[in-house]
Amino acid sequence: MLRFSFEKIFFSHFLEHKRVVCAILTLVFFFIVSLIVLNGRPVALAEPLLMADPAFTPRERPGVLFDHDGHMELADCLDCHHAFENGRNIWEYGMETQCSACHTATDRGRLGLRRAVHGQCIGCHAQQPATGRAPVMCGACHVRGGGQP
């Protein structure tokens, strides 16, 4: 009498292809770990971003070379990026990131572009310990003669 044995079939097949199965399991493991580690964050950028919003024309100071990677280590994306709806920040990776998309340069109020950008950066920097890593003076970020527009 023939008897069907799932274990025999599965394990004999597994032993024949154990390298392939192990490679697949390893890839799945690293994929899951990368999802946990990144926690939905975008991949880090290789070089600093030049923050020079075209809405600021004519310029009083040059744009800012922004170390996005360094800031990703210190803050969550939603600490800087925002899109408010009904009092909640609904911003997600892939949504608009240019401040002038919502804030206008001609508005001199609290939500005007200049105050919004500077309030976001300087407001956070002022809360950091005095380690010298978080500049609050204009020339520390807007470096004249640094090649930025």
Side-chain angles (χ1 to χ4, degrees), residues 3 50 55 103 128:
R3 196 168 159 202
L50 175 60
H103 302 276
Q128 302 304 313

Side-chain angles (χ1 to χ4, degrees), residues 27-45:
L27 288 173
V28 168
F29 172 77
F30 282 112
F31 177 74
I32 291 171
V33 169
S34 68
L35 288 177
I36 293 169
V37 170
L38 288 176
N39 194 20
R41 289 177 174 232
V43 176
L45 303 171

Side-chain angles (χ1 to χ4, degrees), residues 42-115:
V43 176
L45 303 171
E47 296 180 11
L49 293 172
L50 175 60
M51 293 179 64
D53 199 306
F56 283 124
T57 50
R59 292 198 185 288
E60 294 175 22
R61 292 184 173 269
V64 173
L65 282 176
F66 178 70
D67 179 10
H68 193 264
D69 288 356
H71 285 80
M72 284 178 64
E73 294 173 8
L74 302 171
D76 185 68
C77 296
L78 295 179
D79 291 337
C80 300
H81 299 286
H82 56 265
F84 287 99
E85 189 174 281
N86 297 324
R88 286 188 50 233
N89 188 357
I90 60 161
W91 187 89
E92 294 178 354
Y93 180 69
M95 290 176 75
E96 178 64 56
T97 57
Q98 194 159 6
C99 300
S100 60
C102 298
H103 302 276
T104 62
T106 56
D107 182 356
R108 299 292 180 196
R110 183 176 70 86
L111 294 179
L113 183 60
R114 183 176 313 279
R115 285 192 178 175

